[in-house]
Amino acid sequence: MIGGAGTRTTGWASAVGVARRGDGSIRRMPSVDDRALDIARSQRGLATRRQLLDAGVSPATITRRLQNARWSEPVAGVVDVGTHEPTWHGRLQQVLLATGPASWVSHRCAAYLHRFLDVDEPGHLDILVRRGRHTAVGALRLHTTLGLADDETTAVSGLRCTTRARTLLDLAATTATDELERQVLELARRDRTAFRQLGGLLARYPTMPGRRRLLTVLARQPEAIEKLGSALEVIGLPALLRHGAPAPTLQYQVRDRGGAAVKRVDAAWPDLWTILEFDGAAYHDTSAARRHDAEVRDRMRALGWTVEVLRFADLDGPRPAQIAARLRERAATTA
């Protein structure tokens, strides 16, 4: 076979793996394992049979390596060349390779990849595939779609994945309302662009399962939801709203009587002269920080503000309901 100008080879997949140049010298060709490793290096040690065949690895060679256990085939059509330890991410890679380019990690698996609040590593795999355009993968249950727009897909940890906004829309149909609310707030806090994209997706998919639930959750959030600044706020604010607290102004700037800035607080009800501070250990767990917090809060109280403080330890207790009740009482007396 002619490999190029002045070069005669004995075959790309020849047993000796060499090419003889026109001057008679020998040039070593990549071995079967070299070619397989080159493909698998960026795919967590995996390669499809099609990729191996395209690289010149013969079907007989693939079969021999599988039979002698040098390679394995964890999913039909996907070969593990043995360079990587088995991982959850690797399992996702296997399925994406098996189902082809029109497939994406989705739902709770995508939420885990995006590090959504309170999402543990799922015990099952969620893969979204284009309807009628994918290879069957054993008994794995796949989600199907007519297709995804470019702004609904991304890559996370080298894996094709739905975007944060699309992931939230997919989760809405099967996620409890309280958890969905936390996810909405988390998205608003971490990725304002993705949060704004939700509106476009809701308009794009008027019959999407879970759409009504997501609209309900979005409708009851404060207008300044995108200003949320910490994980405690993401969890604590819904707790107050569920107990009937009126919607606050987020990231409110408190000023003294001369107009000078005192502090930008997490949430406030200016008409009720009430401030809410979320006291998270990440920012307040030193004696110096706590002394400073106490001094600033005393200063705000001297200006006439009622200062409520909510900590992580309070979330499972009665305090959110108590704060919400006091806010409702103040609202009733000022109406």
Side-chain angles (χ1 to χ4, degrees), residues 262-332:
V262 176
K263 184 180 182 182
R264 185 174 296 279
V265 297
D266 298 317
W269 293 261
D271 293 344
L272 308 180
W273 281 84
T274 301
I275 289 166
L276 178 65
E277 289 272 78
F278 292 102
D279 196 352
Y283 303 102
H284 305 275
D285 204 19
T286 67
S287 57
R290 291 192 178 280
R291 281 197 302 273
H292 175 74
D293 286 345
E295 291 170 359
V296 174
R297 288 167 185 167
D298 283 345
R299 185 180 174 191
M300 291 189 292
R301 290 186 181 101
L303 292 169
W305 291 93
T306 297
V307 180
E308 303 278 7
V309 179
L310 191 65
R311 300 178 175 85
F312 269 115
D314 299 326
L315 295 177
D316 293 327
R319 187 157 179 76
Q322 293 168 351
I323 294 174
R326 287 195 289 271
L327 286 166
R328 292 197 306 272
E329 291 171 4
R330 291 169 197 151

